[in-house]
Amino acid sequence: VSNIDNSQPLGRRSVTLKGEGRRVEGDNFVHEMLCSEIANKKLLPFVSRVTARDVGDYETWHSHDGEDFMYVLENSCTIHTEFYEPVSLSAGDSIFFDSRMGHMDVSNSVEDALVLWVCTN
């Protein structure tokens, strides 16, 4: 029995050089989408600059199918989720959660937080 998904071509590969990811901007973030030329992948990796400073900066909770992993690269941020108390994370800290649960992240200082996100589709 094979665990290989034969509906996708084998040997797919994608490289993103530093600073060359596809840029996506929102009200509370700036994402650099990594390895974006491959469509229909199961993981969505991106580096995000968190520009929000307060949960009031958001209109509503963000949620989607799948799971999220976040690793703080620079500065610190607080992750707010629907069913847990907020948690403050500093550079080197990480969190994993069910992304169907509403979530928001805010930078903890005047500096933007820089984080690596990996989400499943």
Side-chain angles (χ1 to χ4, degrees), residues 59-106:
E59 291 182 23
T60 186
W61 291 103
H62 179 70
S63 65
H64 52 92
D65 286 338
E67 298 172 322
D68 277 21
F69 170 79
M70 187 194 78
Y71 181 88
V72 181
L73 298 168
E74 294 178 5
N75 302 316
S76 67
C77 61
T78 297
I79 303 301
H80 298 263
T81 55
E82 279 185 293
F83 308 125
Y84 295 89
E85 290 296 317
V87 61
S88 183
L89 302 172
S90 297
D93 296 339
S94 62
I95 187 171
F96 179 95
F97 58 91
D98 181 333
S99 48
R100 294 173 298 175
M101 174 176 54
H103 53 280
M104 305 175 195
D105 56 331
V106 296

Side-chain angles (χ1 to χ4, degrees), residues 2-10 42:
S2 173
N3 289 330
I4 296 175
D5 178 1
N6 290 322
S7 66
Q8 296 292 329
L10 292 176
K42 295 177 184 172

